Amino acid sequence: MKRAQIPEHLIDVAAALFNRLGYRAAGVDQVIAEAGIAKTTLYRHFKSKEDLIVAVLRRIDEHYRSEMRQAVDSLGLEGKPRLLATFDFLEGWFASEAFYGCPFICAAGEYCERSSAIFQESVMHKRLMVAYFEELARAASFDDPRRIADEINLLHEGATAVAHITGDPGAARKAKSAAARLMED
Amino acid sequence: MKRAQIPEHLIDVAAALFNRLGYRAAGVDQVIAEAGIAKTTLYRHFKSKEDLIVAVLRRIDEHYRSEMRQAVDSLGLEGKPRLLATFDFLEGWFASEAFYGCPFICAAGEYCERSSAIFQESVMHKRLMVAYFEELARAASFDDPRRIADEINLLHEGATAVAHITGDPGAARKAKSAAARLMED
DNA sequence: AATTATATGTACTAACCTGTATCTTTTGTC
DNA sequence: GACAAAAGATACAGGTTAGTACATATAATT
């Protein structure tokens, strides 16, 4: 492996591991074993496990939002259907093997202090998600794009939690149908 | 303290600690210190930490559902307003100091394996919640009480996640208003 | 009052954790 | 090819973890 790829590879491996086992349950020894790098190398790139977790969350945030944008844009829809398409993206995620609930909710649950960098990373991600929904709602010419964005967000979070616990990706479709009716008025 | 009270007291203390610090982050040493009992005593009542966590979740489930029932019943409402009253209960919870997100979502996030007794306890709780919502929807004479229950559930889960991350209890009111519109049709 | 069951206290095990120190080997650059 | 930076390997420190052993004390029961 090229040296320049190490940090990214490390983050990818760590993300998968934290996601699958939990942030506290997965140790740095497991991360380096799976990544095939030395512990010294990990600690050269990240000053602590917490630092690594923050990097992981930041990467997941970027990846998640850009993937969602791309999925939504690729359908060439406008207005309400564009907003509703975000739920189709959700369903694909829920059905994937790598789905173990929202990584940010899980991380915030494990690092409970609001002041922790990990919790704050989750706060930031959720803010950006609502901002995206508001952008879509504004483009769809809703009277109150803020309210629509909040409601889409509630349904996204709800669907994610429900799919996590029940294991049923269909939660996304139910949320989509609810969202469609909320946008009718 | 009376001997008969020990198990319950232990569960209460553990529940508060797990909730505040996280299930893996809070150790049994902290639990026994806060509860003022000996470690031997804890392990006489619970064969392992996992066993204690299951007992904690079972207690939270019973407590949560009975408190919600009581809060909803006390208002003497019928039909849709009765369903909507569940969101007022949520708001009270969100505003309390003991709110650190949904204990079941957090627990399931830390003990990721679906087969684990802890995860299954969360599955059970969520099932019972939907059953309660369906009971209310049926009493309100909805054409499709199952669908209404699922939607109320989505909004409850969404509001809980949003309130957890943003720290804003107002998520409950937004979810309530969305629920009200979903029940109009 | 005697007996039985349970709680306490202390010490301990054995594993695991994050993070560091040290030294050797590899890699990229001039 | 020489030199510097970074990766590897190994070992280790210092702390925490869940869980147990055992001897003593305190309840509850008969």
Side-chain angles (χ1 to χ4, degrees):
Chain A
M1 181 180 355
K2 289 275 161 63
R3 279 190 179 176
Q5 299 174 332
I6 286 183
E8 299 241 323
H9 175 61
L10 206 38
I11 291 175
D12 285 342
V13 168
L17 227 47
F18 289 148
N19 193 40
R20 185 156 51 89
L21 305 176
Y23 293 87
R24 295 198 120 105
V28 296
D29 287 330
Q30 277 176 274
V31 172
I32 61 167
E34 187 124 340
I37 61 138
K39 195 184 268 195
T40 328
T41 308
L42 187 154
Y43 280 101
R44 187 186 310 283
H45 292 285
F46 306 97
K47 72 173 207 295
S48 66
K49 182 184 179 181
E50 187 166 333
D51 206 45
L52 173 62
I53 294 175
V54 168
V56 161
L57 292 178
R58 210 162 295 191
R59 183 169 185 72
I60 294 176
D61 165 64
E62 285 163 16
H63 190 259
Y64 184 80
R65 286 186 301 115
S66 90
E67 288 279 309
M68 182 178 288
R69 271 200 136 88
Q70 197 175 324
V72 168
D73 289 350
S74 73
L75 298 176
L77 304 167
E78 294 297 329
K80 292 177 192 175
R82 204 170 150 76
L83 267 162
L84 293 176
T86 61
F87 291 94
D88 299 329
F89 173 79
L90 269 195
E91 189 169 353
W93 179 34
F94 296 167
S96 82
E97 289 209 352
F99 179 66
Y100 291 87
C102 174
F104 299 93
I105 297 291
C106 291
E110 293 205 53
Y111 296 84
C112 310
E113 289 170 281
R114 298 197 66 80
S115 59
S116 94
I118 292 170
F119 198 109
Q120 284 305 310
E121 207 57 41
S122 298
V123 172
M124 184 55 63
H125 167 73
K126 297 301 182 188
R127 260 196 221 128
L128 291 169
M129 289 306 300
V130 178
Y132 174 56
F133 296 142
E134 189 177 340
E135 176 192 324
L136 291 180
R138 214 171 280 281
S141 310
F142 277 102
D143 287 350
D144 193 348
R146 277 284 250 306
R147 200 205 66 204
I148 293 291
D150 279 339
E151 291 177 349
I152 296 294
N153 189 44
L154 281 172
L155 288 170
H156 265 250
E157 294 295 341
T160 306
V162 170
H164 178 205
I165 301 300
T166 65
D168 174 23
R173 247 173 308 139
K174 291 175 183 171
K176 184 182 184 179
S177 115
R181 261 175 303 127
L182 281 174
M183 294 193 296
E184 272 174 15
D185 318 329
Chain B
M1 182 183 350
K2 290 274 162 64
R3 281 190 176 175
Q5 298 174 332
I6 285 183
E8 300 241 320
H9 174 61
L10 206 38
I11 291 175
D12 285 341
V13 167
L17 228 46
F18 289 147
N19 193 39
R20 185 156 50 88
L21 306 176
Y23 292 86
R24 295 200 121 102
V28 297
D29 287 332
Q30 276 176 278
V31 173
I32 62 168
E34 187 125 338
I37 61 137
K39 193 184 268 195
T40 326
T41 309
L42 188 155
Y43 280 100
R44 187 186 308 283
H45 292 286
F46 306 98
K47 75 174 203 294
S48 67
K49 183 184 179 182
E50 188 167 330
D51 205 45
L52 173 62
I53 294 175
V54 168
V56 161
L57 292 177
R58 211 161 294 192
R59 184 170 184 73
I60 293 175
D61 166 64
E62 285 164 16
H63 190 258
Y64 184 81
R65 286 187 300 117
S66 91
E67 288 279 307
M68 182 177 289
R69 272 201 134 89
Q70 196 174 326
V72 167
D73 289 350
S74 74
L75 298 174
L77 302 168
E78 296 297 330
K80 291 177 192 173
R82 205 170 150 76
L83 266 162
L84 292 175
T86 61
F87 291 94
D88 299 330
F89 173 79
L90 269 194
E91 189 169 355
W93 179 35
F94 296 167
S96 82
E97 289 209 352
F99 179 66
Y100 290 87
C102 174
F104 298 93
I105 297 292
C106 291
E110 293 207 53
Y111 296 84
C112 310
E113 290 170 282
R114 298 196 66 80
S115 60
S116 95
I118 291 170
F119 198 109
Q120 284 305 310
E121 207 57 41
S122 298
V123 172
M124 184 55 62
H125 167 74
K126 299 302 183 188
R127 259 195 222 131
L128 291 169
M129 289 305 301
V130 178
Y132 174 56
F133 295 143
E134 189 178 339
E135 175 192 325
L136 291 181
R138 216 169 278 279
S141 309
F142 276 101
D143 286 350
D144 194 348
R146 278 285 248 308
R147 200 205 64 204
I148 293 292
D150 280 337
E151 291 177 350
I152 297 294
N153 188 45
L154 282 171
L155 288 169
H156 265 250
E157 294 295 340
T160 306
V162 170
H164 177 205
I165 301 300
T166 65
D168 174 23
R173 247 173 309 137
K174 291 175 183 170
K176 183 182 183 179
S177 115
R181 260 174 305 125
L182 281 175
M183 295 192 295
E184 272 175 14
D185 319 330

